[in-house]
Amino acid sequence: MVDICHEIAPHDVRAGSLTLVRAVQYLAPGVVLGVVDPGVGTDRRAVAVEVADGEAVFVGPDNGLLAPAVSMVGGAGRAVELTDAAYQLPAPGPTFAGRDIFAPAAAYLAQGVDLAELGPAVDPLGLRPGLVPLPRLEDDALHAEVLWVDRFGNVQLNVSPEEVDDIGDRVAVRWAEQMRTARRATTFDEIGAGQLGLVVDSYGLMALAVSRASAGDELGLRAGDMVSLQSPEN
């Protein structure tokens, strides 16, 4: 059993989705249980989704949480809605599906119960997609979004290294009527004291960082904030 994370902010489906898609490429085949479920007890579906010709199954709410990870490993094969009470715990109410529906389903699947036993088949194309924001080029600037601020304070952007290569080694970073010039760096220690760096993080995306401190705190940036990147000469 591998515990990926128990520190997702309440109700933050996108953060849970990003955590899962980052981890899934390193996981062994098996059952993956993900629960970030602000719509618990509503008509949102509880699902199990088989991928990789049956090598793995994702279990969780059909609210976009699972979608990026499912896509990362090749897309959905079979999918079912978790409705069979025989594979659930008796529930005093509908608001704790993580305990009463999802965890039992994951346990039964891990024991070898076939996916089809847990509920009726659903069309994989009808599963709710994940919402991953894309950067856009506008007015000579690349408009990006903060995806994540890690525990070190590095500010991950939804930008790949190739998307900023044309800007050069120095990048004007603008947000909330503020501006700083960042320097492209390979390692954190290349960022000088008082400087802002732009580095490739462990997920292959660009992140704003400062030397041995929190860029998130220093810049006042949080997940969901908008940032623009452009040449300092513009």
Side-chain angles (χ1 to χ4, degrees), residues 151-164:
R151 70 187 186 91
F152 298 102
N154 302 313
V155 178
Q156 184 189 62
L157 306 176
N158 61 334
V159 173
S160 67
E162 295 79 14
E163 289 172 307
V164 293

Side-chain angles (χ1 to χ4, degrees), residues 1 22 25 47 94 98 109 132 148 150 152 179 194 199-200 227:
M1 181 178 292
R22 287 168 172 149
Q25 59 191 308
V47 295
L109 290 165
V132 178
W148 190 270
D150 67 21
F152 298 102
M179 195 276 284
V199 300
V200 179
V227 173

Side-chain angles (χ1 to χ4, degrees), residues 10-143:
H11 319 305
D12 195 342
V13 175
R14 190 176 76 165
S17 176
L18 289 168
T19 300
L20 191 57
V21 75
R22 287 168 172 149
V24 71
Q25 59 191 308
Y26 304 109
L27 298 178
V31 180
V32 180
L33 172 62
V35 184
V36 182
D37 193 17
V40 63
T42 68
D43 59 358
R44 70 92 188 90
R45 294 182 295 189
V47 295
V49 184
E50 190 177 77
V51 300
D53 295 324
E55 287 192 2
V57 180
F58 290 84
V59 177
D62 183 21
N63 61 2
L65 173 71
L66 307 178
V70 168
S71 178
M72 172 70 75
V73 293
R78 295 188 295 164
V80 301
E81 185 173 3
L82 303 175
T83 59
D84 193 330
Y87 296 97
Q88 300 174 9
L89 294 177
T95 60
F96 211 82
R99 177 194 65 195
D100 300 332
I101 298 176
F102 298 125
Y108 279 114
L109 290 165
Q111 290 177 331
V113 172
D114 187 74
L115 187 71
E117 298 296 317
L118 303 183
V122 300
D123 184 354
L125 295 178
L127 296 171
R128 184 168 179 176
L131 299 177
V132 178
L134 298 175
R136 70 184 191 280
L137 188 61
E138 186 178 297
D139 299 329
D140 295 324
L142 186 65
H143 296 269

